[in-house]
Amino acid sequence: MMFLAAGLIGALALLVGGLIGPKKASEDKLAAYESGIASTSSARERFPVHFYLVAMLFIIFDIEAAFFYPLAVHFQVEPQFLFVQGLIFIAILAVGYIYVLRKGVLAWR
């Protein structure tokens, strides 16, 4: 029943929008909207690989920071052991960060 209701609501929304929506198409209405500024180049322009490397590094370090949450939750159980684990984790991240800096990935050209 829920799938049937969801399908009917979706179909009804499309039907009503098609019936009472605007009909006149113009160049301005069909153009892609990007902050009100007209595009100056093709959407198929290549991005430098450097952009993707920086994006992947951000995601990796952002997700790895979430691994500190379980340490904080269970810190009162074994504080010394978890503190050492946190330091080892930070050391591993620091080694990776130093490697990235030496490779020049973060040096924007």
Side-chain angles (χ1 to χ4, degrees), residues 50-73:
H50 184 76
F51 172 79
Y52 295 109
L53 290 174
V54 172
M56 285 190 298
L57 286 172
F58 172 76
I59 290 171
I60 288 169
F61 282 107
D62 188 45
I63 290 173
E64 286 184 357
F67 287 121
F68 281 112
Y69 182 74
L71 289 176
V73 170

Side-chain angles (χ1 to χ4, degrees), residues 21-81:
K23 304 284 189 261
K24 291 183 180 179
S26 68
E27 187 178 336
D28 289 335
K29 287 183 182 179
L30 295 176
Y33 179 75
E34 284 190 30
S35 70
I37 300 172
S39 62
T40 57
S41 63
S42 172
R44 305 229 179 248
E45 183 178 316
R46 291 183 178 213
F47 283 101
V49 174
H50 184 76
F51 172 79
Y52 295 109
L53 290 174
V54 172
M56 285 190 298
L57 286 172
F58 172 76
I59 290 171
I60 288 169
F61 282 107
D62 188 45
I63 290 173
E64 286 184 357
F67 287 121
F68 281 112
Y69 182 74
L71 289 176
V73 170
H74 295 289
F75 191 73
Q76 293 180 358
V77 178
E78 299 179 64
Q80 292 83 13
F81 176 70

Side-chain angles (χ1 to χ4, degrees), residues 3 7 17-18 25 28 31-32 49 57 78 85 88 95 105:
F3 288 119
D28 289 335
V49 174
L57 286 172
E78 299 179 64
Q85 274 189 337
I88 292 170
V95 167
V105 173

Side-chain angles (χ1 to χ4, degrees), residues 6-19:
L8 287 175
I9 290 171
L12 185 65
L14 288 172
L15 180 69
V16 170
L19 290 175

